[in-house]
Amino acid sequence: MSENMFDPDVYYNELQKNVEQIQKITDLKPDVAIVLGSGLDHFVSQLEVEAEISFSELDNFPVSTNKAHKGKFILAKAKGTRLICMSGRIHYYEGYPMRDVVKPIRLMNMLGAKTIIITHSVGAINPFYKVGDFVSVRDHISMFVPSPLVGPNISQLGDDFTDMTNIYDDDINHVLYEIARDNHLKLNQGVMVQSSGRQYESPAETKMLHALGADIVGMSSTCEAIAARHAGMRITEIACITNMAGGLQDVVTDEEVKARAVAVNKGFSALVNGILEFLKDEYDLKLTYKRFKTAEAIIQMEEEENKQSPDN
């Protein structure tokens, strides 16, 4: 859809049509959405897959042009949780308007997902970080790429002028540290900045971004988090450092980034599986509490009825 011809009603209707297309293939209603970055094939192999749907099968839907990204949805179960996984993502550098880049995020939310786990590879700006480390994102800088919320607000997707004070879930981030410790993984906590790509950052840009407070840099994820926040989703984001940012190592190559992503496959999987276990335990606890309160209310109602009975 052309930037100059954007029609919010058409955009929303396209998403509704995509929901219907997926629901004709499977009746699984996901609770959690996962954006699978490069190198998470190990996690996919553990899933109880119910359906796989290529982006190209959906009407008026963006298609990934990056060969490292498969561009499909996987509806599955894992750790007792119903999932929709986005295997491969859409990037702004592929030439799509930002509202189309985040279409998959919005679609996963419309299908039922209320929590999202975003994963991706990054370059380290913070000189104390090392290649192979993981980063739990605690905040972001998004002002170097267009916002996916620019243009008329679509009220069915979220409220206008979305607050960005507490984007990433503190409870999940706290649990991530425990998961990383138990699996002997180095997990930092940092600020993510998204660049447009298709080029990597220059040494001067790395210095500037570090001065602004950024710890890691990549070509995705922040716009996805904004769209998820707009939709009211609970968000956690895990990044893997596959290279040092421009100027902090001799040369950055795409081959190196891909190889590093594959090398941390199992670590990534351990973190994601740990989050799913936490979410399942949390859901079970809430369900138990809800049932307890329901039973308590029934008992109170019966006691009131007994008090009012003529026999008493």
Side-chain angles (χ1 to χ4, degrees), residues 130-142:
K130 295 180 180 178
V131 172
D133 288 355
F134 292 94
V135 181
S136 169
V137 176
R138 62 178 175 84
D139 204 346
H140 69 228
I141 298 169
S142 65

Side-chain angles (χ1 to χ4, degrees), residues 249-278:
Q249 68 178 55
D250 291 338
V251 178
V252 181
T253 67
D254 191 40
E255 290 73 21
E256 176 191 7
V257 170
K258 290 175 182 176
R260 290 288 184 182
V262 172
V264 298
N265 202 319
K266 291 185 178 179
F268 243 147
S269 296
L271 293 173
V272 173
N273 278 320
I275 294 173
L276 293 178
E277 289 177 359
F278 164 72

Side-chain angles (χ1 to χ4, degrees), residues 52-263:
E52 295 189 14
I53 303 161
S54 172
F55 293 170
S56 61
E57 295 178 51
L58 301 174
D59 296 339
N60 300 301
F61 204 78
V63 177
S64 178
T65 61
N66 186 325
K67 294 180 180 179
H69 291 259
K70 295 178 180 178
K72 64 180 178 180
F73 290 114
I74 302 171
L75 289 102
K77 294 178 182 177
K79 303 296 180 182
T81 302
R82 295 169 298 185
L83 308 175
I84 180 166
C85 301
M86 183 177 156
S87 181
R89 52 166 40 94
I90 307 299
H91 297 83
Y92 181 61
Y93 64 67
E94 295 176 80
Y96 291 105
M98 193 60 87
R99 65 175 65 92
D100 285 349
V101 172
V102 301
K103 242 184 177 181
I105 307 300
R106 289 169 162 163
L107 178 57
M108 291 190 292
N109 174 249
M110 290 173 67
L111 284 164
K114 302 303 180 187
T115 298
I116 186 167
I117 303 169
I118 301 173
T119 72
H120 55 103
S121 301
V122 293
I125 295 170
N126 189 322
F128 295 103
Y129 290 0
K130 295 180 180 178
V131 172
D133 288 355
F134 292 94
V135 181
S136 169
V137 176
R138 62 178 175 84
D139 204 346
H140 69 228
I141 298 169
S142 65
M143 295 180 176
F144 295 103
V145 292
S147 168
L149 307 186
V150 167
N153 183 58
I154 303 173
S155 59
Q156 298 96 321
L157 299 178
D159 295 333
D160 207 356
F161 299 104
T162 305
D163 178 69
M164 291 285 152
T165 306
N166 297 298
I167 310 163
Y168 303 96
D169 191 275
D170 286 337
D171 290 338
I172 300 178
N173 280 351
H174 178 73
V175 170
L176 262 176
Y177 277 105
E178 298 178 7
I179 300 167
R181 181 196 61 209
D182 292 344
N183 287 276
H184 308 290
L185 300 171
K186 178 63 183 297
L187 180 71
N188 304 289
Q189 189 177 62
V191 176
M192 165 72 187
V193 61
Q194 182 175 348
S195 66
S196 65
R198 222 171 169 100
Q199 76 287 354
Y200 292 104
E201 59 288 336
S202 71
E205 289 168 338
T206 297
K207 291 179 182 178
M208 175 193 70
L209 295 172
H210 187 245
L212 290 174
D215 294 298
I216 52 177
V217 59
M219 301 175 195
S220 64
S221 82
T222 298
C223 58
E224 296 165 350
I226 291 171
R229 178 71 168 180
H230 180 240
M233 300 180 80
R234 189 180 186 188
I235 307 165
T236 189
E237 184 171 327
I238 312 167
C240 171
I241 300 173
T242 52
N243 60 281
M244 301 303 290
L248 299 181
Q249 68 178 55
D250 291 338
V251 178
V252 181
T253 67
D254 191 40
E255 290 73 21
E256 176 191 7
V257 170
K258 290 175 182 176
R260 290 288 184 182
V262 172

